[in-house]
Amino acid sequence: MCGIISYCGNRQAIPILIDGLKRLEYRGYDSAGLSTVDKNKMVTIKTVGKVSQLENKTAGTRINSSFGIAHTRWATHGKPSETNAHPQTDCHNKISIVHNGIIENYLELKEELQNKGHQFKSQTDTEVIAHLIEDNYENDLEVAIIKSVERLVGTFGIAVIHTDYKHQIFIVKRGSPIIIGIGDNEFFAASDSNALAPYTHKMVYLSDDEIAVLNSNRFYIKNMKNEILEKKIEILDEDEYKMDKKGYEHYMLKEIFEQPESIKNAFRGRIILNEGVSKLGGLEPVLGRLKNIKKLIIVSCGTSYHAGLLGRYIFETLTELDIEIELASEFRYRRLKLNEDVAVLAISQSGETADTLAAIKEAKRKGALLLGIVNAVGTSIAQITDAGVYNHAGPEIGVASTKIYTSQLVIITLIALFIGRYQTVSFIEGSELLTALKKLPDQIKDILKNAKQIEKIALRYAHFKNFLYIGRLYNYPTAMEGALKLKEISYAHAEGYPAGEMKHGPISLIDENFPTIAIVPKDSTYDKMINNIQEIRARSGRILSITNDGEDKIKNISDDLILVPQTLSILQPILNIIPLQLFAYYIAKEKGCDVDKPRNLAKSVTVE
Ligand code: G6P
């Protein structure tokens, strides 16, 4: 989703801005632009499409400037066009602004400003901020910005420059992430630390309602009461943002193949085998409260929601807690009884998903204990939660989440065991679970060795337009996630269903052109899954089974079979999803889709 990069220093700004934008490309966007001041004039260059097109446009311009702001846009208000792309400027082209987030009261402000004579060029909500600052400006830009943001309702991370303020960039945050990067006599601001990786590892995370002013040789951060703040400088580990395809054709494929490692990273140092318990330093500070909670509500979106869906079964198996799972975007509409007996667990790869953030803010207001499972260190969700566990899975660049999903499942299991061991889970049960967990990386390696065979099978399915994915119990979320992977990147229609529900609707779709992917582990759901497959076959449906049973019973009723190693039922989904990720990948590749950047999707969804 929208990305911001700003630079203020002694080097030429444009190449740094372009490079930063390229590093933000993975988030998903439709247009891009930048502004800088050259010879006292605001210069703004914008384009629809790729950052490389913006780079071509800047190539012949001979701009000489060492500060500027840039943006990749994912359209919300107004279609993708040069006019609607950011930066947006005021009437006199003196103020230029880039913005992430949504201004909810922009229509009302726009009308007010139009009545005062301001001329608007775009359909964006962002342009209103440029005009508002212009309207509030007397002789101090900082004051004008603060006055303006006081009027804004919604979420924003903004960067502002003004032709009269050479070498100064003004940054404000409310709800959308902005990070300040500190170099040697140069400063950066970005919506995502990945954009700053080649330049600095020293970061300061802005909190809501803070303003940062960057100069080429100093910066300061204030709150809205004009008080200077001492903020902590975080040093980011290089591994947290390494972006490199390492010879793989796509990031997604690389990330699928990284799963043995990302799973190890999820449990490394977090297992005490001889006590059958997990050790989670991030939860220790709230241990007292955690031991007393009665109910856990999981909130998340997209793939993280599917991890949460499975989390419900995992927590139910390992703890005595009442468990609910809710889509973050729906959570706020519910009249839930939240109090100190309740913990709300947010699961988020990016740590910035606006819906998840809004959900936990709501839960905080009502007194629940906030927990988080987050991959991106220091992000908003990580900051706002009372305690949590990082995935340490490294950056995930492919928009379709793969390695973070399995990493989330491992961490959910560790948290459930952590709580469960204070309740009824025995030492033996705990150590059996942890022993099985430790075997997962090697078992995944075995699945990945069969990638070629999975590719061959996938190619036989690439021409189908519709797919049904079915599973039961722990593998109902696997079916949902498998279907999501396929639709996200190959644009085939795929529905994930609990297998028992199939006869209440989806079975009417089945014919020889509507294949079913059945997840059939050898567990308590096996016989019922076999019945479901028979029902599909009776309607000429084609079947691909994902199973750990190589026996004739399942072989004889499946058109294709992918075998995965066996583990405990509760962990089996972590293995079962791997062939489904590869299946989706190979189909999307065969169809010539942009696997890492599927149309209309964004990696980090910072609007509600
Ligand atoms: C977007 C991404 C998905 C992701 C979802 C939730 O839709 O495309 O891959 O699962 O957001 O993101 P989060 O960062 O909160 O896990």
mmCIF file of all heavy atoms in Angstrom, residues 300-305 347-354 356 381 396 398-401 404 408 481 484-485 488 601-605, ligand 1:
data_model
loop_
_atom_site.group_PDB
_atom_site.id
_atom_site.type_symbol
_atom_site.label_atom_id
_atom_site.label_comp_id
_atom_site.label_asym_id
_atom_site.label_seq_id
_atom_site.Cartn_x
_atom_site.Cartn_y
_atom_site.Cartn_z
ATOM 1 N N SER A 300 -7.372 -10.421 13.494
ATOM 2 C CA SER A 300 -6.385 -10.343 12.407
ATOM 3 C C SER A 300 -7.110 -10.253 11.070
ATOM 4 O O SER A 300 -8.342 -10.287 11.019
ATOM 5 C CB SER A 300 -5.467 -11.569 12.452
ATOM 6 O OG SER A 300 -6.204 -12.746 12.668
ATOM 7 N N CYS A 301 -6.328 -10.145 9.991
ATOM 8 C CA CYS A 301 -6.894 -10.008 8.643
ATOM 9 C C CYS A 301 -6.145 -10.933 7.687
ATOM 10 O O CYS A 301 -4.972 -11.243 7.912
ATOM 11 C CB CYS A 301 -6.693 -8.602 8.094
ATOM 12 S SG CYS A 301 -7.287 -7.294 9.130
ATOM 13 N N GLY A 302 -6.791 -11.266 6.589
ATOM 14 C CA GLY A 302 -6.143 -11.984 5.491
ATOM 15 C C GLY A 302 -5.531 -13.293 5.958
ATOM 16 O O GLY A 302 -6.148 -14.071 6.697
ATOM 17 N N THR A 303 -4.302 -13.514 5.533
ATOM 18 C CA THR A 303 -3.618 -14.754 5.906
ATOM 19 C C THR A 303 -3.459 -14.846 7.424
ATOM 20 O O THR A 303 -3.578 -15.930 8.005
ATOM 21 C CB THR A 303 -2.251 -14.799 5.201
ATOM 22 O OG1 THR A 303 -2.503 -15.009 3.812
ATOM 23 C CG2 THR A 303 -1.372 -15.914 5.718
ATOM 24 N N SER A 304 -3.201 -13.720 8.054
ATOM 25 C CA SER A 304 -3.053 -13.740 9.520
ATOM 26 C C SER A 304 -4.361 -14.168 10.184
ATOM 27 O O SER A 304 -4.359 -14.755 11.262
ATOM 28 C CB SER A 304 -2.642 -12.359 10.033
ATOM 29 O OG SER A 304 -1.408 -11.998 9.500
ATOM 30 N N TYR A 305 -5.483 -13.875 9.531
ATOM 31 C CA TYR A 305 -6.782 -14.331 10.060
ATOM 32 C C TYR A 305 -6.863 -15.858 9.978
ATOM 33 O O TYR A 305 -7.353 -16.515 10.894
ATOM 34 C CB TYR A 305 -7.925 -13.681 9.264
ATOM 35 C CG TYR A 305 -9.287 -14.219 9.627
ATOM 36 C CD1 TYR A 305 -9.857 -13.934 10.867
ATOM 37 C CD2 TYR A 305 -9.991 -15.034 8.747
ATOM 38 C CE1 TYR A 305 -11.103 -14.449 11.215
ATOM 39 C CE2 TYR A 305 -11.234 -15.554 9.082
ATOM 40 C CZ TYR A 305 -11.792 -15.263 10.317
ATOM 41 O OH TYR A 305 -13.014 -15.772 10.660
ATOM 42 N N ILE A 347 -2.718 -10.647 15.430
ATOM 43 C CA ILE A 347 -1.701 -11.334 14.625
ATOM 44 C C ILE A 347 -1.506 -10.503 13.361
ATOM 45 O O ILE A 347 -2.469 -10.255 12.633
ATOM 46 C CB ILE A 347 -2.146 -12.761 14.253
ATOM 47 C CG1 ILE A 347 -2.554 -13.542 15.508
ATOM 48 C CG2 ILE A 347 -1.034 -13.495 13.512
ATOM 49 C CD1 ILE A 347 -3.099 -14.930 15.211
ATOM 50 N N SER A 348 -0.287 -10.064 13.130
ATOM 51 C CA SER A 348 -0.055 -9.217 11.959
ATOM 52 C C SER A 348 1.396 -9.301 11.505
ATOM 53 O O SER A 348 2.304 -9.073 12.289
ATOM 54 C CB SER A 348 -0.403 -7.767 12.298
ATOM 55 O OG SER A 348 -0.071 -6.925 11.224
ATOM 56 N N GLN A 349 1.563 -9.627 10.261
ATOM 57 C CA GLN A 349 2.903 -9.673 9.685
ATOM 58 C C GLN A 349 3.534 -8.299 9.692
ATOM 59 O O GLN A 349 4.627 -8.090 10.197
ATOM 60 C CB GLN A 349 2.795 -10.225 8.247
ATOM 61 C CG GLN A 349 4.089 -10.374 7.494
ATOM 62 C CD GLN A 349 4.635 -9.083 6.929
ATOM 63 O OE1 GLN A 349 5.818 -8.783 7.138
ATOM 64 N NE2 GLN A 349 3.816 -8.299 6.264
ATOM 65 N N SER A 350 2.798 -7.330 9.150
ATOM 66 C CA SER A 350 3.352 -5.986 8.945
ATOM 67 C C SER A 350 3.364 -5.168 10.222
ATOM 68 O O SER A 350 4.135 -4.221 10.354
ATOM 69 C CB SER A 350 2.515 -5.239 7.906
ATOM 70 O OG SER A 350 1.201 -5.089 8.405
ATOM 71 N N GLY A 351 2.484 -5.504 11.146
ATOM 72 C CA GLY A 351 2.353 -4.706 12.371
ATOM 73 C C GLY A 351 1.700 -3.360 12.112
ATOM 74 O O GLY A 351 1.664 -2.497 12.996
ATOM 75 N N GLU A 352 1.163 -3.166 10.909
ATOM 76 C CA GLU A 352 0.594 -1.863 10.561
ATOM 77 C C GLU A 352 -0.821 -1.953 10.012
ATOM 78 O O GLU A 352 -1.392 -0.931 9.642
ATOM 79 C CB GLU A 352 1.464 -1.148 9.518
ATOM 80 C CG GLU A 352 2.875 -0.836 9.965
ATOM 81 C CD GLU A 352 2.957 0.198 11.099
ATOM 82 O OE1 GLU A 352 1.914 0.767 11.472
ATOM 83 O OE2 GLU A 352 4.060 0.394 11.624
ATOM 84 N N THR A 353 -1.375 -3.139 9.878
ATOM 85 C CA THR A 353 -2.695 -3.271 9.253
ATOM 86 C C THR A 353 -3.721 -2.409 10.004
ATOM 87 O O THR A 353 -3.939 -2.589 11.206
ATOM 88 C CB THR A 353 -3.118 -4.752 9.226
ATOM 89 O OG1 THR A 353 -2.111 -5.451 8.513
ATOM 90 C CG2 THR A 353 -4.458 -4.960 8.544
ATOM 91 N N ALA A 354 -4.328 -1.489 9.272
ATOM 92 C CA ALA A 354 -5.178 -0.481 9.916
ATOM 93 C C ALA A 354 -6.345 -1.108 10.669
ATOM 94 O O ALA A 354 -6.691 -0.670 11.767
ATOM 95 C CB ALA A 354 -5.676 0.503 8.870
ATOM 96 N N THR A 356 -6.557 -4.069 12.046
ATOM 97 C CA THR A 356 -6.094 -4.760 13.257
ATOM 98 C C THR A 356 -5.737 -3.730 14.332
ATOM 99 O O THR A 356 -6.049 -3.892 15.506
ATOM 100 C CB THR A 356 -4.893 -5.667 12.909
ATOM 101 O OG1 THR A 356 -5.248 -6.472 11.782
ATOM 102 C CG2 THR A 356 -4.512 -6.563 14.068
ATOM 103 N N ILE A 381 1.569 -1.989 15.831
ATOM 104 C CA ILE A 381 0.885 -3.017 16.635
ATOM 105 C C ILE A 381 1.832 -3.513 17.732
ATOM 106 O O ILE A 381 1.425 -3.721 18.876
ATOM 107 C CB ILE A 381 0.349 -4.163 15.736
ATOM 108 C CG1 ILE A 381 -0.762 -3.597 14.838
ATOM 109 C CG2 ILE A 381 -0.147 -5.350 16.571
ATOM 110 C CD1 ILE A 381 -1.303 -4.532 13.796
ATOM 111 N N GLU A 396 9.134 -10.298 4.503
ATOM 112 C CA GLU A 396 8.399 -11.065 3.502
ATOM 113 C C GLU A 396 8.010 -10.069 2.421
ATOM 114 O O GLU A 396 7.278 -9.115 2.693
ATOM 115 C CB GLU A 396 7.175 -11.713 4.144
ATOM 116 C CG GLU A 396 6.478 -12.691 3.234
ATOM 117 C CD GLU A 396 5.278 -13.328 3.927
ATOM 118 O OE1 GLU A 396 4.315 -12.594 4.225
ATOM 119 O OE2 GLU A 396 5.301 -14.526 4.163
ATOM 120 N N GLY A 398 6.992 -10.977 -1.033
ATOM 121 C CA GLY A 398 5.861 -11.420 -1.854
ATOM 122 C C GLY A 398 4.576 -10.980 -1.163
ATOM 123 O O GLY A 398 4.440 -11.168 0.047
ATOM 124 N N VAL A 399 3.651 -10.404 -1.928
ATOM 125 C CA VAL A 399 2.411 -9.924 -1.302
ATOM 126 C C VAL A 399 1.644 -11.084 -0.668
ATOM 127 O O VAL A 399 1.094 -10.964 0.419
ATOM 128 C CB VAL A 399 1.551 -9.145 -2.330
ATOM 129 C CG1 VAL A 399 0.121 -9.007 -1.851
ATOM 130 C CG2 VAL A 399 2.155 -7.762 -2.561
ATOM 131 N N ALA A 400 1.646 -12.224 -1.356
ATOM 132 C CA ALA A 400 0.956 -13.391 -0.783
ATOM 133 C C ALA A 400 1.828 -13.957 0.335
ATOM 134 O O ALA A 400 2.960 -14.356 0.100
ATOM 135 C CB ALA A 400 0.723 -14.434 -1.867
ATOM 136 N N SER A 401 1.286 -13.986 1.517
ATOM 137 C CA SER A 401 2.076 -14.397 2.683
ATOM 138 C C SER A 401 2.269 -15.915 2.698
ATOM 139 O O SER A 401 1.320 -16.673 2.514
ATOM 140 C CB SER A 401 1.335 -13.946 3.941
ATOM 141 O OG SER A 401 2.085 -14.269 5.067
ATOM 142 N N ILE A 404 5.459 -16.300 6.654
ATOM 143 C CA ILE A 404 4.969 -15.709 7.900
ATOM 144 C C ILE A 404 3.797 -16.517 8.433
ATOM 145 O O ILE A 404 3.635 -16.676 9.641
ATOM 146 C CB ILE A 404 4.542 -14.230 7.705
ATOM 147 C CG1 ILE A 404 5.658 -13.407 7.083
ATOM 148 C CG2 ILE A 404 4.087 -13.619 9.022
ATOM 149 C CD1 ILE A 404 6.850 -13.137 7.945
ATOM 150 N N GLN A 408 3.680 -17.884 12.051
ATOM 151 C CA GLN A 408 2.605 -17.495 12.980
ATOM 152 C C GLN A 408 2.028 -18.731 13.676
ATOM 153 O O GLN A 408 1.756 -18.720 14.880
ATOM 154 C CB GLN A 408 1.489 -16.757 12.232
ATOM 155 C CG GLN A 408 1.869 -15.337 11.817
ATOM 156 C CD GLN A 408 0.897 -14.717 10.817
ATOM 157 O OE1 GLN A 408 0.170 -15.432 10.111
ATOM 158 N NE2 GLN A 408 0.885 -13.405 10.718
ATOM 159 N N GLU A 481 -6.792 -21.020 3.577
ATOM 160 C CA GLU A 481 -5.529 -20.374 3.229
ATOM 161 C C GLU A 481 -5.038 -20.844 1.851
ATOM 162 O O GLU A 481 -4.534 -20.049 1.063
ATOM 163 C CB GLU A 481 -4.487 -20.654 4.335
ATOM 164 C CG GLU A 481 -3.091 -20.146 4.080
ATOM 165 C CD GLU A 481 -2.997 -18.636 3.849
ATOM 166 O OE1 GLU A 481 -3.964 -17.896 4.106
ATOM 167 O OE2 GLU A 481 -1.932 -18.208 3.366
ATOM 168 N N LEU A 484 -7.044 -18.999 -0.647
ATOM 169 C CA LEU A 484 -6.644 -17.582 -0.692
ATOM 170 C C LEU A 484 -5.361 -17.421 -1.509
ATOM 171 O O LEU A 484 -5.247 -16.514 -2.336
ATOM 172 C CB LEU A 484 -6.448 -17.042 0.729
ATOM 173 C CG LEU A 484 -6.010 -15.575 0.824
ATOM 174 C CD1 LEU A 484 -7.097 -14.634 0.321
ATOM 175 C CD2 LEU A 484 -5.637 -15.193 2.258
ATOM 176 N N LYS A 485 -4.400 -18.315 -1.290
ATOM 177 C CA LYS A 485 -3.134 -18.214 -2.038
ATOM 178 C C LYS A 485 -3.413 -18.245 -3.528
ATOM 179 O O LYS A 485 -2.901 -17.441 -4.290
ATOM 180 C CB LYS A 485 -2.173 -19.367 -1.702
ATOM 181 C CG LYS A 485 -1.449 -19.321 -0.380
ATOM 182 C CD LYS A 485 -0.494 -18.176 -0.218
ATOM 183 C CE LYS A 485 -1.115 -16.936 0.249
ATOM 184 N NZ LYS A 485 -1.386 -16.502 1.496
ATOM 185 N N GLU A 488 -5.327 -15.053 -4.773
ATOM 186 C CA GLU A 488 -4.515 -13.836 -4.699
ATOM 187 C C GLU A 488 -3.581 -13.703 -5.897
ATOM 188 O O GLU A 488 -3.448 -12.633 -6.467
ATOM 189 C CB GLU A 488 -3.621 -13.871 -3.447
ATOM 190 C CG GLU A 488 -4.272 -13.432 -2.176
ATOM 191 C CD GLU A 488 -3.310 -13.507 -0.985
ATOM 192 O OE1 GLU A 488 -2.644 -14.542 -0.804
ATOM 193 O OE2 GLU A 488 -3.248 -12.531 -0.236
ATOM 194 N N LEU A 601 -3.690 -5.740 -5.005
ATOM 195 C CA LEU A 601 -3.390 -6.105 -3.613
ATOM 196 C C LEU A 601 -2.201 -5.321 -3.091
ATOM 197 O O LEU A 601 -1.379 -4.846 -3.864
ATOM 198 C CB LEU A 601 -3.081 -7.603 -3.506
ATOM 199 C CG LEU A 601 -4.222 -8.543 -3.843
ATOM 200 C CD1 LEU A 601 -3.773 -9.988 -3.683
ATOM 201 C CD2 LEU A 601 -5.428 -8.279 -2.960
ATOM 202 N N ALA A 602 -2.129 -5.211 -1.791
ATOM 203 C CA ALA A 602 -1.007 -4.527 -1.166
ATOM 204 C C ALA A 602 -0.497 -5.379 -0.015
ATOM 205 O O ALA A 602 -1.252 -6.129 0.599
ATOM 206 C CB ALA A 602 -1.449 -3.176 -0.646
ATOM 207 N N LYS A 603 0.767 -5.258 0.247
ATOM 208 C CA LYS A 603 1.379 -6.066 1.304
ATOM 209 C C LYS A 603 0.991 -5.554 2.685
ATOM 210 O O LYS A 603 0.805 -6.325 3.611
ATOM 211 C CB LYS A 603 2.907 -6.016 1.129
ATOM 212 C CG LYS A 603 3.670 -6.887 2.091
ATOM 213 C CD LYS A 603 3.503 -8.342 1.742
ATOM 214 C CE LYS A 603 4.116 -9.280 2.735
ATOM 215 N NZ LYS A 603 3.552 -10.628 2.619
ATOM 216 N N SER A 604 0.941 -4.247 2.793
ATOM 217 C CA SER A 604 0.661 -3.678 4.098
ATOM 218 C C SER A 604 -0.538 -2.751 3.926
ATOM 219 O O SER A 604 -0.447 -1.736 3.237
ATOM 220 C CB SER A 604 1.914 -2.908 4.537
ATOM 221 O OG SER A 604 1.661 -2.206 5.696
ATOM 222 N N VAL A 605 -1.670 -3.134 4.488
ATOM 223 C CA VAL A 605 -2.910 -2.408 4.203
ATOM 224 C C VAL A 605 -3.175 -1.398 5.317
ATOM 225 O O VAL A 605 -3.675 -1.739 6.381
ATOM 226 C CB VAL A 605 -4.087 -3.381 4.014
ATOM 227 C CG1 VAL A 605 -5.377 -2.626 3.731
ATOM 228 C CG2 VAL A 605 -3.788 -4.315 2.851
HETATM 229 C C1 G6P B 1 -2.882 -7.838 3.162
HETATM 230 C C2 G6P B 1 -1.800 -8.740 2.600
HETATM 231 C C3 G6P B 1 -1.970 -10.155 3.153
HETATM 232 C C4 G6P B 1 -2.013 -10.125 4.668
HETATM 233 C C5 G6P B 1 -3.072 -9.155 5.202
HETATM 234 C C6 G6P B 1 -2.930 -8.947 6.698
HETATM 235 O O1 G6P B 1 -4.118 -8.181 2.655
HETATM 236 O O2 G6P B 1 -1.864 -8.779 1.188
HETATM 237 O O3 G6P B 1 -0.891 -10.965 2.717
HETATM 238 O O4 G6P B 1 -2.284 -11.406 5.143
HETATM 239 O O5 G6P B 1 -2.913 -7.876 4.593
HETATM 240 O O6 G6P B 1 -1.707 -8.325 6.944
HETATM 241 P P1 G6P B 1 -0.881 -8.353 8.287
HETATM 242 O O7 G6P B 1 0.344 -7.539 7.980
HETATM 243 O O8 G6P B 1 -1.739 -7.723 9.330
HETATM 244 O O9 G6P B 1 -0.560 -9.769 8.593
#
